[in-house]
Each structure stands twice: as C-alpha cells, then as structure tokens.
Amino acid sequence: MVDEPPRFARTERIFNAPAVAVALALSMPALFWLQLRLPGEGIDWALRPTAVLEGDGWQLITVMLLHGGWGHVAMNAIGALAFGAAVARMLPGLRGVGAFLAFYVVCGALAGLGYVAIHPDSGQALVGASGAVFGLIGAATRLLGGGGRVLPLRDRRVISASLAWMGLNAFVGLIGFAPGAEGASIAWEAHAAGFIAGLVLIGPWVRLYGPRIDSSADLGEPPV
C-alpha cells in the first residue's frame, strides 16, 4: 500500500491582503509624487493648529494626503497595509470598502484634532497620514488574536499591546527620531489620539458595517 500525499481543500495565497488595504498603501507614494509637483510641495494643505481653530477645518483631512519624504511615505504605507488588512477583513463587500475608508479618515481627523487640542497656539505645519495609520493600528490591536471578533477593551491582550504601542510612541516622540522621519519632529500626540480613536471606534464600526452573524451563535462578549 502506498500512502497518498495529503490533499488540501484549497490553496492559500501567499499574499492575500484585501484590495482596499493594498490600494490605500499604494495611494500614498502616488499622492506624494503628485505633492512634489505642487507649488510649495503642497504646504498650504498641511495642518496648522492655529489655522484649524480659525476655521480651516479642511486641513484635518488634507494633512493625510501629504508626507515629508519618501521614507515617511514608506513607513506609513507599510503600516497601512500591515494593519489595515486586519481591519478591512472585518468590513466585507462594497459597503465595507466605504466603511474602511471612512474609518481611516475619521481616525486621521480625530488624530489631528487631538494634536490641535494639545497645541492650540502652534502655527507649525504638520504633514502625514501617521495619525490615521495609528488608528488602524489601534483597531488591529483589538482584532489580532480575536478569532474573527473584536476583543473587549479590557482584554489583557488589548491592554498589554496598547501599553506597548503607546510606550514605543512616547519613546520615539521624546528622542525625536523614527525611520522615515528624516530629522523632522515627531507628532507623537497625534499618533496617540489616532490610536485611541481606532481602539475605541472599531467595536461600533464592526457592529454597523461588519459581517452579519447568526444571533444564535455563541458570540461571547460583544465589542464595545
């Protein structure tokens, strides 16, 4: 008798990130290429807290379209792909694509608002999508290891991972250096605000836009 090799039900792709997460990551270098060709390299679209408080709230959105250099772009694109994939998988279908992009933008805007609240008198220009990317990181913190559900905020894994991320973020902000920053100051406050926004919002976001689940199934504790 000859043993037959095991047969698998299906072949898994090595690279299976959702298309919307890939598109988001690829949009960053494309937008930066365009930014370099704008007058002043698009600095008028940067976020300035004093300008936002004077009514230029659109800067909370346009800041996410800008970056400070190719290294900055690369770091955010990698982060968007790595952590955005987990979020996108929880938001399936065409409706989920819109929900994913809205989640990204809302986290980025709240990150900018957090920075404005801490530095209301600053006129320094802030660029980058790092706050929005940290929103994806915060969301993924409650998804990774959840077995297809959102982990509760008080889950030990969520708490320990959040403390680690915020510790790293504070350390990077204090030493003023990060790969891709190219000598620029680090808006760690915006990162923290974006992370908290993603951490908190992913629960209700999945309830609203996530896959429909049989109510008779054992779901454990619902996301908050």
Side-chain angles (χ1 to χ4, degrees):
M1 180 180 292
V2 179
D3 292 335
E4 293 185 1
R7 296 179 180 179
F8 298 93
R10 58 190 177 91
T11 302
E12 292 287 349
R13 292 177 294 171
I14 295 176
F15 184 81
N16 62 352
V20 67
V22 176
L24 176 62
L26 292 178
S27 73
M28 294 180 182
L31 287 171
F32 185 63
W33 183 86
L34 292 173
Q35 176 189 336
L36 294 177
R37 283 149 182 81
L38 292 174
E41 296 187 354
I43 195 64
D44 290 341
W45 289 11
L47 186 151
R48 291 181 173 83
T50 52
V52 171
L53 293 175
E54 289 171 0
D56 291 336
W58 54 269
Q59 293 181 359
L60 295 170
I61 305 299
T62 57
V63 65
M64 290 179 263
L65 306 177
L66 307 176
H67 283 88
W70 285 110
H72 191 198
V73 173
M75 289 297 296
N76 278 340
I78 292 170
L81 181 59
F83 297 97
V87 179
R89 290 190 185 101
M90 293 295 290
L91 304 169
L94 187 59
R95 183 167 176 261
V97 169
F100 172 84
L101 295 176
F103 182 85
Y104 174 82
V105 171
V106 168
C107 287
L110 291 176
L113 279 175
Y115 186 84
V116 171
I118 295 171
H119 302 283
D121 299 322
S122 175
Q124 184 177 1
L126 178 70
V127 299
S130 301
V133 171
F134 263 83
L136 297 177
I137 295 174
T141 298
R142 293 182 65 189
L143 298 176
L144 300 176
R149 67 186 184 95
V150 182
L151 294 173
L153 281 169
R154 60 178 176 270
D155 187 278
R156 286 190 303 172
R157 291 165 292 180
V158 173
I159 294 172
S160 60
S162 297
L163 291 174
W165 275 112
M166 290 299 92
L168 177 62
N169 178 51
F171 176 74
V172 169
L174 289 173
I175 66 174
F177 172 79
E182 300 177 356
S185 58
I186 309 299
W188 63 272
E189 305 95 332
H191 298 171
F195 181 90
I196 293 170
L199 191 73
V200 172
L201 290 178
I202 188 60
W205 223 268
V206 169
R207 283 203 303 271
L208 286 171
Y209 305 108
R212 303 298 180 188
I213 302 176
D214 184 359
S215 60
S216 64
D218 181 13
L219 302 179
E221 186 171 354
V224 296

